[in-house]
Amino acid sequence: MRTFAMGLLCLMMPAGALAADSDQDAVAKPAVPNIYLDLRTTYATIPAGTLGLGFGNTSLSAAFEALAARRGDALPNGLPAAKSIAVDLPMTVDVSDRVSLYSGVSGSTTDLGGGWSAFDITSWNIGVQADLYQQNGGKIPTITLQSTLTQSVPNDPGMTTSFNNILEFDYALDEDETRGWLAGVQYTITDIAGAVVRIRPNTILYAGGYYQWPSNWKFTGRLGVQSFGGAQLAGRVLAEPFTQPILRLDLDRMDDNDNRLFGITAQIAWMPKPSYQMTLRTPLYAVRN
């Protein structure tokens, strides 16, 4: 946790330094930053023999990894197919146009074939998203780093801690940044406490693009390859390694200042059988500039 906090501080310091422009270029900043609850509701289907993986999916994957660790001995035939509904509640503060900080809890309910479990808090998270460089009409794309630390609940043997990092390059094709190309990498590592379980890293390499209409509806597509190293419990395979394609499609309604008002995300990830995920984003603003 100390290392993670130092990382947040290091990210915020250069962002603040880069934002210091000359007086004639300075833009008046709002007295209070954007503050909102970035409410996300996710429904996912997960094939037998694998975990809840995919783009930016640390809360859902932490819940399934913890479940796998706790129930591994009781599942002689491996992990069954599952369905899950998860609700993420990260409180988000846009410190500047470059840096956002967030922290919150997630709850979920799971169906392993015998009915839905009781909905309960299953993880908490803390993270930062920062533009390390902004294109601003130049030739070098905007470079964004997002890092999220997620820990499953309760804090007992089988608890998982996931560290998810996304580095993305955004090359805008016009001055208003309403259309452009994307490329990036996501890397997730997971540690399990007090259990003879080893979960290898998960990596996604992807490319895509986006287009925003004058009505402020924005479409974004990402297509990539996901490589998972597999999971083992005391030498027994819980989840097989794989390298398979992954597709994510986003449709967002923005306001004139590029604040998200509503969003829907569809994801298909082959593991190697397809896993389907649908997410609704309905941010609740306390302050919106």
Side-chain angles (χ1 to χ4, degrees):
M1 287 296 293
R2 288 196 298 269
T3 303
F4 184 70
M6 289 298 295
L8 297 185
L9 181 61
C10 291
L11 281 173
M12 293 174 62
M13 290 175 63
L18 288 171
D21 298 323
S22 59
D23 292 340
Q24 61 268 28
D25 294 331
V27 177
K29 295 182 179 179
V32 180
N34 282 353
I35 302 174
Y36 55 99
L37 190 66
D38 193 11
L39 175 62
R40 301 190 295 266
T41 305
T42 301
Y43 172 78
T45 65
I46 299 172
T50 191
L51 302 171
L53 306 169
F55 281 110
N57 203 14
T58 54
S59 64
L60 192 59
S61 63
F64 273 97
E65 288 156 5
L67 187 66
R70 294 188 185 101
R71 300 192 178 184
D73 291 328
L75 298 172
N77 297 322
L79 298 175
K83 294 180 288 186
S84 178
I85 298 175
V87 177
D88 297 322
L89 299 165
M91 180 60 71
T92 305
V93 178
D94 294 337
V95 179
S96 69
D97 63 343
R98 290 176 177 268
V99 179
S100 296
L101 304 176
Y102 52 90
S103 180
V105 297
S106 301
S108 66
T109 174
T110 305
D111 181 6
L112 298 176
W116 292 92
S117 64
F119 185 88
D120 203 357
I121 299 298
T122 50
S123 67
W124 61 264
N125 63 75
I126 183 172
V128 59
Q129 179 172 311
D131 288 346
L132 306 181
Y133 179 86
Q134 290 185 334
Q135 183 178 352
N136 291 331
K139 299 297 183 182
I140 301 176
T142 296
I143 303 172
T144 302
L145 175 65
Q146 182 179 5
S147 296
T148 308
L149 178 70
T150 304
Q151 190 171 93
S152 67
V153 175
N155 187 350
D156 61 8
M159 174 192 71
T160 69
T161 302
S162 298
F163 192 35
N164 187 65
N165 295 283
I166 303 173
L167 184 66
E168 185 169 87
F169 300 84
D170 176 351
Y171 186 80
L173 298 174
D174 61 354
E175 185 177 353
D176 293 333
E177 300 182 353
T178 59
R179 54 192 177 92
W181 301 108
L182 298 172
V185 58
Q186 174 179 302
Y187 184 74
T188 307
I189 56 175
T190 302
D191 179 68
I192 295 191
V196 190
V197 179
R198 185 175 185 183
I199 297 180
R200 297 185 180 274
N202 186 60
T203 304
I204 300 176
L205 295 172
Y206 65 90
Y210 59 90
Y211 184 85
Q212 184 169 331
W213 286 269
S215 61
N216 284 335
W217 283 98
K218 182 178 182 180
F219 174 77
T220 306
R222 295 174 177 86
L223 177 63
V225 175
Q226 179 172 218
S227 181
F228 175 52
Q232 293 183 335
L233 171 65
R236 181 165 63 89
V237 174
L238 277 178
E240 295 281 356
F242 64 82
T243 300
Q244 295 287 338
I246 183 170
L247 173 67
R248 171 174 161 173
L249 303 174
D250 294 90
L251 182 63
D252 296 297
R253 179 73 165 93
M254 317 296 286
D255 67 10
D256 291 336
N257 294 314
D258 279 342
N259 297 306
R260 180 183 287 104
L261 302 178
F262 169 81
I264 184 170
T265 298
Q267 175 181 283
I268 304 176
W270 285 264
M271 303 183 179
K273 293 182 179 180
S275 170
Y276 302 97
Q277 179 178 309
M278 185 73 69
T279 301
L280 293 178
R281 298 186 69 169
T282 49
L284 306 175
Y285 285 90
V287 178
R288 177 162 64 95
N289 297 303

